Amino acid sequence: MNNIFVYCEIEDESKVADVSLELLTKGRSLANQLNCQLEAVVIGSNLDGAIPEVLSYGVDRLHVFDAPKLYPYTSLPHASILVNLFKQEKPQIALMGADVIGRDLGPRVSSALTSGLTADCTALEIGDHEDKKTGTVYKDLLYQIRPAFGGNIVATIVNPEHRPQMATVREGVMKKAIVNPNYKGEVIKHNVPDYVSETDYAVTVIERHLAKSKNNLKASPIVIAGGYGVGSKANFDLLFELAKELHAEVGASRAAVDAGFTSNDRQVGQTGLTVRPKLYIACGISGQIQHIAGMQESSMIISINNDPAAPINQIADYVVNGTVEEVVPKMIKYYKKNSK
Amino acid sequence: MSLKIVVLAKQVPDTRNVGKDAMKADGTINRAALPAIFNPEDLNALEQALRLKDTHPGSTITLLTMGPGRAAEIIREGLYRGADNGYLLTDRAFAGADTLATSYALATAIRKIKDFDLIIGGRQAIDGDTAQVGPQVAEKLGLPQITYAEEIKSCENGVITILRHVDGGVETVQGKLPLVITVNGSASPCRPRNAKYVQKYKHAKTVTEKQQGNLDYEELYSKHDYLNLQEWSVADVNGDLEQCGLSGSPTKVKAVQNIVFQAKESKTLTATDRDVEDLIIELLDNHTIG
Ligand SMILES: Cc1cc2nc3c(=O)[nH]c(=O)nc-3n(C[C@H](O)[C@H](O)[C@H](O)COP(=O)(O)OP(=O)(O)OC[C@H]3O[C@@H](n4cnc5c(N)ncnc54)[C@H](O)[C@@H]3O)c2cc1C
Ligand SMILES: Nc1ncnc2c1ncn2[C@@H]1O[C@H](COP(=O)(O)O)[C@@H](O)[C@H]1O
């Protein structure tokens, strides 16, 4: 009772989405801190293959709902399962991915349970909260930390009274780590019709086209991004060379994409991808707000720019005043020399 | 078959063009410094509704918006583009609503509108970026939902077919009316205002707006009822005060921090071999790379 629940999203029949594995890892550490159990929910069809992987993240109880019509995902059957399961199990915290599925499912579940939900969190912490008006102190609440207002502020949200405390988190924000490949958790296979009624299958998927993403930008811990200042497609190859050395991915500003230096699936920013790597190296990027919106939560930012007044330098941890042509080859050289 | 469509639209501060003066010294938002606009994805939603109206003659579009008095502007903007009427949900008791209290209020208003086949909203509003209100309105009304819609492909005999965006691709889904749809920003942009409708509705006003202005047009309003924009309070929609506004909001903002315009302490280096090598060594030492 009052445990932490993670909804595990299933892609490609029985593969668990990375974002869910990241949340299991976060859920495990929150459970240790709160001295409660970690429970997971998988919903889909032919799920047996997914069970050992989910357990290995330190799951104490795994709820399995396996039926043909539960994959691909549709809103109502998955929502009914979570609503009924949560009513029964009364979790204190429930987490899911802030992707299309989680952002479709989470609000529906939270509305049915009148529990409140914080979208797109970038950090989750445990802490106390005092209601200034009543003086009531709430112990061990989930701090749901997220950017708001177009990325211009960061807000900490709490749900003092309502349970579960629900939050969605984007892919790549948290780390995933297996606890033990043979972690012993209980597996509970539920009878789906006890949770889902026939009328829940109101929307049917008649066709799907999924393209495997060609790059791994969203999940890469290091991103080397190039802007208009990189100057040419040939210079962009320098960034790919550095990326290869550092096991990084290459990103780009819109100006670089528009100039044809690289493909548009690499664009970072308001109208591109949001990335939160450990290290973001901005090469020849001025740092307009629309670009910053997609990378400002990187843990460390290095700017390589020949204009000391470039706005990106304001949010950079390291500013290298110089040209991309000069600095990037030196980085490659000195990385090779010192990393051995 | 003609359709009765409700479009959910919100007036939002334009967070995309935030200047330095948009943040007050204490880290709170200076809303006065930001222009109030029609939430961008709600315009995409309106366009999908207008297209249904084009292909299903006799259909009507009702705009529903919750906000302060000046949000009546949203209804006029909708009328200028081809919507038929609109309601402004406005009451002090709605203030401070999180998404749950917002969807409660919108759902009660939709129950009062009563006669509808489709509810179409934007995927998310740019002030909160939550994408929660659409699915929560659907849940409150007990209706199915189709989120992240790119295009309504067809709507025949009570069955709607929609192309929607999913992680890593697209899918086509089908459902029976009535249901709730939320539309993505990548869907077709909204058509511009139509001069004919601007002419027709430019004096459309709520009671509050009429009271604030001069009453030169009194006769006009009694002659042309379509110029009277309806305002609804909590009582008008039989709302439960406990579920509205701040008291109906389970989530509380504990703290807010202004980030973008806080310049970091940064280390400045030159392009010399020495500086670049030192940087690489530092990054290796603290395991940022390696
Ligand atoms: C609605 C909207 C959405 C947008 N969405 C996005 C988005 O998602 N992502 C995005 O990136 N942009 C987006 N933009 C565009 C954005 O406003 C900027 O135009 C864009 O980010 C600028 O890219 P840039 O920094 O590469 O180019 P520039 O602004 O031209 O900057 C180039 C920089 O390179 C430096 N430089 C020049 N030569 C060199 C050299 N040899 N070595 C080192 N430095 C050099 C210059 O000093 C300068 O700072 C959007 C714009 C709008 C209006
Ligand atoms: N106050 C409001 N009035 C009308 N519609 C709203 C309101 N708030 C949210 N919506 C609708 O719900 C969508 C999602 O909003 P949000 O959950 O705030 O991101 C918006 O694009 C609107 O269509």
Side-chain angles (χ1 to χ4, degrees), chain B residues 8-10 39 42 64-66 99 102 106 121-125 129-134:
Chain B
L8 302 178
K10 185 181 188 184
N39 181 48
D42 300 352
L64 176 61
T65 187
M66 179 174 99
T99 65
T102 301
L106 293 173
R123 179 190 55 135
Q124 70 183 31
D129 292 338
T130 75
Q132 285 170 197
V133 169

Side-chain angles (χ1 to χ4, degrees), chain A residues 186-311:
Chain A
E186 184 188 354
V187 177
I188 306 153
K189 295 195 175 173
H190 292 276
N191 181 32
V192 173
D194 293 347
Y195 291 80
V196 184
S197 69
E198 270 311 303
T199 52
D200 285 335
Y201 299 101
V203 170
T204 47
V205 177
I206 56 178
E207 210 182 333
R208 307 187 94 204
H209 293 286
L210 299 187
K212 279 264 160 287
S213 162
K214 275 174 270 151
N215 64 58
N216 194 26
L217 201 51
K218 263 177 18 187
S220 181
I222 302 177
V223 173
I224 322 272
Y228 192 68
V230 172
S232 67
K233 212 171 152 112
N235 282 350
F236 237 82
D237 287 341
L238 285 174
L239 305 190
F240 280 99
E241 217 178 304
L242 179 61
K244 198 166 154 239
E245 288 300 327
L246 300 182
H247 304 288
E249 271 289 354
V250 174
S253 72
R254 185 156 102 177
V257 170
D258 288 348
F261 298 166
T262 190
S263 57
N264 68 356
D265 58 342
R266 296 194 181 275
Q267 183 180 317
V268 170
Q270 192 184 13
T271 44
L273 294 166
T274 299
V275 296
R276 296 178 178 87
K278 196 167 66 166
L279 174 62
Y280 192 91
I281 308 182
C283 308
I285 292 178
S286 61
Q288 300 306 309
I289 182 81
Q290 294 91 348
H291 184 79
I292 292 196
M295 48 67 73
Q296 63 194 352
E297 281 148 42
S298 307
S299 314
M300 184 185 287
I301 297 167
I302 299 177
S303 163
I304 302 170
N305 201 304
N306 61 2
D307 173 11

Side-chain angles (χ1 to χ4, degrees), chain B residues 199-238:
Chain B
Q199 202 52 37
K200 178 171 171 188
Y201 289 111
K202 66 182 179 200
H203 295 300
K205 282 194 166 50
T206 61
V207 176
T208 313
E209 284 175 320
K210 280 182 261 176
Q211 284 164 352
Q212 284 161 354
N214 50 34
L215 274 176
D216 284 1
Y217 299 105
E218 200 167 6
E219 204 195 310
L220 197 70
Y221 291 107
S222 55
K223 227 165 52 200
H224 301 292
D225 196 39
Y226 60 82
L227 293 179
N228 297 298
L229 301 183
Q230 298 297 311
E231 280 173 318
W232 281 346
S233 65
V234 175
D236 290 328
V237 296
N238 292 316

Side-chain angles (χ1 to χ4, degrees), chain B residues 51-216:
Chain B
R51 288 181 181 201
L52 282 175
K53 186 176 163 178
D54 293 342
T55 50
H56 295 73
S59 296
T60 56
I61 299 175
T62 301
L63 261 104
L64 176 61
T65 187
M66 179 174 99
R70 64 181 152 86
E73 194 58 38
I74 294 299
I75 298 175
R76 276 187 294 275
E77 283 298 328
L79 295 171
Y80 295 162
R81 288 169 168 82
D84 299 272
N85 58 7
Y87 298 99
L88 170 64
L89 260 180
T90 186
D91 196 311
R92 271 179 201 286
F94 290 131
D98 71 1
T99 65
L100 194 69
T102 301
S103 18
Y104 170 77
L106 293 173
T108 50
I110 294 167
R111 278 204 201 93
K112 172 148 177 156
I113 294 172
K114 213 162 109 195
D115 200 12
F116 62 87
D117 300 295
L118 263 178
I119 297 162
I120 310 182
R123 179 190 55 135
Q124 70 183 31
I126 57 169
D127 54 347
D129 292 338
T130 75
Q132 285 170 197
V133 169
Q136 291 184 330
V137 166
E139 194 281 331
K140 298 254 170 287
L141 296 169
L143 297 177
Q145 68 197 42
I146 297 173
T147 55
Y148 288 80
E150 288 285 332
E151 190 188 351
I152 297 174
K153 290 280 189 192
S154 71
C155 185
E156 297 306 328
N157 308 318
V159 175
I160 193 157
T161 307
I162 291 177
L163 180 74
R164 72 187 285 264
H165 165 88
V166 293
D167 294 305
V170 291
E171 66 181 19
T172 307
V173 298
Q174 234 166 30
K176 280 209 189 74
L177 304 183
L179 46 70
V180 175
I181 299 167
T182 71
V183 180
N184 247 359
S186 50
S188 308
C190 194
R191 63 196 64 183
R193 299 167 171 182
N194 176 317
K196 194 177 81 196
Y197 296 137
V198 175
Q199 202 52 37
K200 178 171 171 188
Y201 289 111
K202 66 182 179 200
H203 295 300
K205 282 194 166 50
T206 61
V207 176
T208 313
E209 284 175 320
K210 280 182 261 176
Q211 284 164 352
Q212 284 161 354
N214 50 34
L215 274 176
D216 284 1

